[in-house]
């Protein structure tokens, strides 16, 4: 396909996302079924354009003057892909599959940029009702933090030492993917940098090292969060909100298959994906407990060295990867998540033994889901004391050289860490470590 046809296709896909409320992946799949002539490279090109339009939707609708699929796609070409109006018009010329020619209003929108009085929520590319939350969290850096959240994300891998040493895993990955970097935050992290928006991203899960279990796809921020469990070799550990098991696998690797790791989730359906992942990873110390909490976890109360809780949240920390979710988040759902976080905190702590550790994690960048929830918990449970998250991570022995000092410099209230694309080059994660008095 020529680029003009791809642009027209991207407008159709974005229309399905915005007006028929389809996830991007589903909308792109359905478009591909109806246009069999389009290859995988065409679909990847269109997917990149649609996702970039959604990542910057707030800013683009402001400068383009419309919140339509066409306006957003054209705006993404201009402001995310650096094509001016003349270049876009030239792309359309002579192609019968091209969208209609640019209007005068569209040409003006592609050239005016953001004026000095542009509101913060537009500069940060967040829903208007979240503007005050962003400003509270990041102050003068709110706009730049939001802009980083509207960028593209790399693909990160975690080396699984249960199956391969770092040198072996790196060699296997780099033999298939030429652009690969070693993380400067974790010893087991590898990064495939974000690609040109017009190029097809490398499929990390298709490389042999992944199939062998030598590496797992996991954002480096998520890897850091798991390190906050500390030195847990031989320990008794509960992954309280295990979900599909990403952090369960990381915790098992930290434990080096010693001790006992229990994986449980309040929604048992989410645990289904954990079984093939456990088999591929070589984890042998994981006991999956599927069922009602009182029945399946009752024997663990007050007995665990570490309870790791990746709490349900808005998912705002993953907006780079799932930009449509940013615009679908509603105030009511946001408040409901906070209630759920309070509920799981009120239950999870009971499994921590005296002298043990509770690790509270969210993939959120919003203080209402993070320090506000921790503040309420600590007020109700004075037997828990927060400890610096960077110190806990250092105890794991898996931080890269100099990483602890970098992380300590951004620790906030309660010694917690708010990881963000701007601060740490990772997805957004909040990590707070609390220890129960002996």
């Amino acid at each position: 396909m020529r680029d003009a046809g791809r642009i027209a296709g991207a407008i159709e896909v974005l229309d399905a996302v915005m007006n028929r409320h389809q996830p991007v992946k589903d909308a792109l799949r359905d478009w591909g079924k109806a246009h069999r002539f389009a290859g995988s490279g065409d679909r990847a090109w269109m997917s990149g354009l649609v996702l970039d339009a959604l990542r910057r939707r707030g800013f683009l609708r402001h400068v383009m003057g419309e919140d339509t699929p066409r306006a957003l796609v054209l705006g993404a070409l201009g402001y995310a892909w650096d094509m001016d109006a003349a270049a876009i018009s030239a792309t359309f010329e002579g192609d019968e599959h091209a969208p209609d020619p640019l209007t005068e209003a569209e040409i003006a929108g592609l050239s005016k940029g953001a004026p000095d009085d542009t509101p913060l929520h537009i500069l940060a590319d967040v829903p208007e009702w979240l503007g005050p939350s962003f400003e509270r969290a990041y102050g003068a850096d709110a706009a730049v933090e939001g802009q980083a959240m509207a960028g593209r994300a790399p693909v990160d891998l975690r080396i699984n030492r249960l199956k391969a040493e770092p040198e072996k895993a790196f060699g296997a990955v780099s033999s298939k993917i030429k652009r690969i970097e070693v993380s400067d935050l974790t010893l087991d992290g590898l990064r495939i940098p974000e690609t040109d928006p017009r190029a097809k991203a490398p499929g990390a899960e298709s490389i042999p090292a992944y199939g062998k279990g030598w590496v797992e796809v996991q954002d480096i921020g998520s890897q850091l969060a798991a390190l906050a469990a500390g030195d847990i070799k031989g320990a008794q550990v509960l992954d309280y909100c295990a979900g599909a098991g990403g952090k369960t696998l990381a915790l098992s690797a930290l434990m080096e298959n010693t001790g006992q790791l229990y994986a449980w989730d309040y929604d048992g359906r989410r645990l289904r994906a954990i079984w093939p992942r456990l088999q591929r990873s070589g984890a042998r110390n994981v006991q999956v407990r599927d069922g009602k909490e009182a029945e399946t976890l009752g024997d663990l109360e007050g007995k665990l060295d570490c309870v790791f809780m990746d709490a349900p949240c808005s998912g705002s920390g993953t907006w780079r990867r799932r930009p449509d979710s940013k615009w679908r988040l509603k105030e009511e759902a946001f408040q409901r998540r906070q209630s759920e976080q309070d509920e799981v905190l009120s239950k999870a702590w009971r499994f921590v033994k005296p002298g043990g550790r509770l690790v509270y994690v969210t993939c959120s960048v919003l203080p209402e889901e993070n320090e506000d929830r921790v503040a309420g918990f600590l007020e109700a449970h004075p037997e828990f004391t927060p400890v610096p998250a960077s110190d806990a991570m250092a105890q794991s022995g898996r931080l890269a050289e100099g990483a602890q000092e970098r992380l300590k410099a951004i620790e906030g209230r309660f010694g917690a860490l708010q990881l963000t694309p701007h601060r740490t080059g990772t997805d957004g994660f909040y990590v707070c470590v609390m220890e129960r008095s002996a």
Side-chain angles (χ1 to χ4, degrees):
M1 291 177 63
R2 296 170 64 183
D3 287 351
R6 290 169 163 177
I7 294 168
I11 293 172
E12 291 181 38
V13 171
L14 188 53
D15 179 72
V17 173
M18 293 174 60
N19 298 318
R20 296 202 295 276
H21 309 292
Q22 282 190 286
V24 173
K25 186 176 181 180
D26 292 349
L28 193 67
R29 178 202 62 210
D30 291 349
W31 187 92
K33 288 180 179 178
H35 300 80
R36 297 288 185 180
F37 56 83
S40 60
D42 297 318
R43 294 192 299 273
W45 195 97
M46 289 164 50
S47 175
L49 183 54
V50 168
L51 290 170
D52 283 340
L54 287 168
R55 289 183 179 105
R56 304 194 65 184
R57 181 178 179 180
F59 174 80
L60 295 177
R61 67 187 173 197
H62 180 73
V63 296
M64 297 300 292
E66 289 186 307
D67 189 29
T68 64
R70 175 183 167 94
L72 296 177
V73 166
L74 294 177
L77 288 170
Y79 290 97
W81 288 28
D82 297 323
M83 293 179 68
D84 60 21
I88 296 172
S89 294
T91 301
F92 290 2
E93 288 179 4
D95 193 326
E96 62 180 332
H97 301 294
D100 291 337
L102 297 182
T103 66
E104 290 299 320
E106 288 168 343
I107 293 172
L110 287 166
S111 61
K112 70 179 184 182
D116 293 338
D117 60 350
T118 301
L120 172 64
H121 71 275
I122 292 172
L123 293 175
D125 248 308
V126 298
E128 184 174 1
W129 64 271
L130 276 178
S133 176
F134 238 72
E135 187 169 19
R136 174 192 165 196
Y138 305 108
D141 289 334
V144 70
E145 288 282 358
Q147 289 163 13
M149 290 294 298
R152 285 198 164 202
V155 175
D156 291 340
L157 305 175
R158 177 182 58 80
I159 295 170
N160 176 23
R161 297 199 190 201
L162 297 179
K163 285 285 191 77
E165 289 301 310
E167 295 81 4
K168 182 178 181 180
F170 177 81
V173 174
S174 61
S175 69
K176 299 296 181 182
I177 299 177
K178 300 308 178 185
R179 291 189 65 204
I180 188 79
E181 300 172 354
V182 177
S183 171
D184 59 356
L185 291 173
T186 75
L187 293 177
D188 296 336
L190 300 177
R191 169 160 289 178
I192 304 170
E194 57 268 35
T195 60
D196 183 287
R198 299 161 182 80
K200 185 177 180 180
E205 294 181 357
S206 66
I207 61 176
Y210 174 84
K212 294 176 181 178
W214 294 0
V215 293
E216 284 285 340
V217 177
Q218 186 177 26
D219 181 79
I220 287 171
S222 180
Q223 296 180 40
L224 285 170
L227 299 189
D231 183 1
I232 50 175
K233 291 186 290 292
Q236 297 290 305
V237 180
L238 170 63
D239 187 354
Y240 185 75
C241 298
K247 294 186 180 66
T248 303
L249 300 183
L251 292 169
S252 180
L254 285 176
M255 298 170 75
E256 299 177 1
N257 264 337
T258 64
Q260 185 68 63
L261 174 58
Y262 303 92
W264 178 84
D265 197 279
Y266 66 95
D267 184 354
R269 294 169 298 180
R270 301 179 65 207
L271 285 168
R272 293 173 185 168
I274 201 173
W275 296 106
R277 301 183 75 183
L278 288 173
Q279 184 175 13
R280 189 178 67 250
S281 74
R284 299 188 303 274
N285 67 334
V286 179
Q287 185 180 130
V288 179
R289 294 200 170 185
D290 184 2
K292 294 182 178 180
E293 180 176 351
E295 299 171 1
T296 56
L297 299 180
D299 61 316
L300 302 179
E301 191 165 324
K303 296 181 180 179
L304 300 177
D305 300 289
C306 178
V307 173
F308 189 95
M309 189 180 72
D310 190 356
C313 69
S314 64
S316 55
T318 64
W319 279 343
R320 295 188 301 174
R321 304 180 191 277
R322 299 176 60 243
D324 49 336
S325 68
K326 173 164 57 172
W327 308 107
R328 289 177 178 165
L329 181 62
K330 305 301 180 185
E331 291 185 71
E332 297 80 6
F334 185 50
Q335 293 168 0
R336 187 166 58 250
R337 283 303 191 196
Q338 294 166 46
S339 297
E340 292 171 352
Q341 290 150 9
D342 289 339
E343 182 180 2
V344 293
L345 272 168
S346 72
K347 295 177 178 179
W349 73 269
R350 295 175 299 163
F351 301 103
V352 181
K353 74 179 187 181
R357 174 174 291 179
L358 174 65
V359 183
Y360 177 75
V361 175
T362 72
C363 54
S364 173
V365 295
L366 304 170
E368 292 85 353
E369 298 186 289
N370 298 332
E371 66 178 67
D372 287 359
R373 308 276 62 81
V374 171
F377 173 79
L378 290 173
E379 184 176 358
H381 296 278
E383 69 272 29
F384 279 86
T385 301
V387 299
S390 65
D391 291 351
M393 292 174 180
Q395 292 167 6
S396 72
R398 300 289 177 84
L399 282 181
E401 184 177 358
Q404 184 180 8
E405 291 73 19
R406 289 176 55 196
L407 294 171
K408 188 167 287 294
I410 60 171
E411 282 177 343
R413 189 181 180 192
F414 309 126
L417 280 168
Q418 178 64 74
L419 310 176
T420 70
H422 177 63
R423 293 177 176 182
T424 51
T426 67
D427 282 354
F429 281 92
Y430 178 81
V431 185
C432 186
V433 182
M434 297 165 278
E435 294 184 347
R436 187 175 184 180
S437 56

